[in-house]
Amino acid sequence: MLSPIERETSEHPCYSCGARGSARIHLPVAPRCNIQCRYCLRKYDCPNESRPGVSSQVLTPRQAFEKYVYAKRRIPNLKVAGIAGPGDALANFAETAETMRRIRACDPEVTLCLSTNGLALPDCADRLSALGVHHLTVTVNAVDPNIGAGIYQWVDCGGARRTGVEAAKRLLENQMEGLQRAVQNGMICKVNCVALPGVNVEHIPQVARQVAGLGAYMMNIMPCIAVAGTEFAEGPVLGHEALEAVRAESGRYIKQMRHCRQCRADALGTLTHDQSLAYREIGQTAGGPAAPAKKRYAEVG
């Protein structure tokens, strides 16, 4: 017999390995980001490249809604509508909220979810709950600011740009407070953690223990994707055996996800059959053409 939380996640492919037959749509309405990770670069896109932060276009909320409606009519197993960038969903809260409101109004049954770095989560957790967002992913790469300083180049918060340990400390404080408030609001929370050899790999079980103590349901440890133009472009990349070892250690504290595909910000379809290219042009007639990703990325600080 399934537990209540297993029933609630049974059709969400990012929370249940048994939900691989369920489709999801990522709506790229969030181009701006309020932090800069040293492993992340979102200034270009190849349609055949699959990784977080990549999108061929950035849609307005109206365009995203039109695309959702079109896809829903043609993909009967579409169960989840999410916002995962290409920047941070909460750094673009107005666009995120409008998109969620439009979709919820036309489809009361759809599962709404989003991904965030957590910096703005303390200010947004209550409002996300009111919008009907029930599944939330927060990326937490370190719970020690000294380690976080090697992962984050800068953090924008309160009108100021912080760097170094100060930046990592502020981000961590907001992540922990926001995660706790999201759990209190009844959201099912997954924590993503990017594994960076020589930086945070040995520290990840401590992350697992701390977020589990705040009520997170699941953890997804992902190997860093080496991207040209970033500080981690030359790797090294965590191998499969080392990845499974850190998952096993972290699994002492929190349920582990092992089927992540590290999806694009405009992914559409099941985890094993992405259809985003086939739907690329849909939604562009609503409120004018969609902005090419390269143009919109120029707006990002």
Side-chain angles (χ1 to χ4, degrees), residues 231-249:
E231 294 184 32
F232 292 94
E234 303 302 323
V237 176
L238 196 66
H240 178 73
E241 290 187 6
L243 177 62
E244 285 304 313
V246 73
R247 282 173 173 168
E249 178 67 17

Side-chain angles (χ1 to χ4, degrees), residues 88-272:
D88 184 78
L90 301 186
N92 304 260
F93 187 79
E95 294 85 352
T96 293
E98 183 182 346
T99 303
M100 295 296 191
R101 279 194 294 266
R102 286 175 179 266
I103 292 175
R104 174 61 77 210
C106 86
D107 188 351
E109 301 301 320
V110 68
T111 295
L112 297 178
C113 71
L114 62 81
S115 298
T116 178
N117 57 47
L119 181 64
L121 190 53
D123 295 329
C124 297
D126 294 347
R127 289 183 286 172
L128 291 176
S129 180
L131 287 167
V133 176
H134 198 229
H135 292 67
L136 178 72
T137 295
V138 185
T139 299
V140 181
N141 295 320
V143 291
D144 180 340
N146 292 293
I147 294 175
I151 301 172
Y152 308 109
Q153 185 176 345
W154 50 256
V155 168
D156 281 347
C157 190
R161 176 162 293 185
R162 296 170 169 83
T163 60
V165 174
E166 180 189 4
K169 183 175 184 292
R170 182 60 179 267
L171 175 61
L172 175 61
E173 290 171 349
N174 285 22
Q175 288 172 331
M176 298 300 100
E177 179 186 350
L179 185 58
Q180 186 173 41
R181 291 181 68 169
V183 170
Q184 290 170 347
N185 272 290
M187 290 185 225
I188 299 173
C189 295
K190 174 167 64 72
V191 168
N192 281 358
C193 188
V194 178
L196 300 157
V199 179
N200 72 337
V201 172
E202 294 182 357
H203 174 68
I204 289 175
Q206 185 177 338
V207 177
R209 182 170 57 185
Q210 189 156 326
V211 299
L214 294 175
Y217 167 65
M218 177 182 281
M219 186 179 201
N220 175 27
I221 303 170
M222 307 176 294
C224 178
I225 298 174
V227 178
T230 71
E231 294 184 32
F232 292 94
E234 303 302 323
V237 176
L238 196 66
H240 178 73
E241 290 187 6
L243 177 62
E244 285 304 313
V246 73
R247 282 173 173 168
E249 178 67 17
S250 300
R252 296 169 52 198
Y253 308 106
I254 187 171
K255 180 181 177 70
Q256 295 292 302
M257 177 184 181
R258 287 179 163 84
H259 60 282
C260 178
R261 296 302 179 98
Q262 293 180 267
C263 301
R264 295 166 55 95
D266 56 2
L268 171 59
T270 64
L271 293 184
T272 56

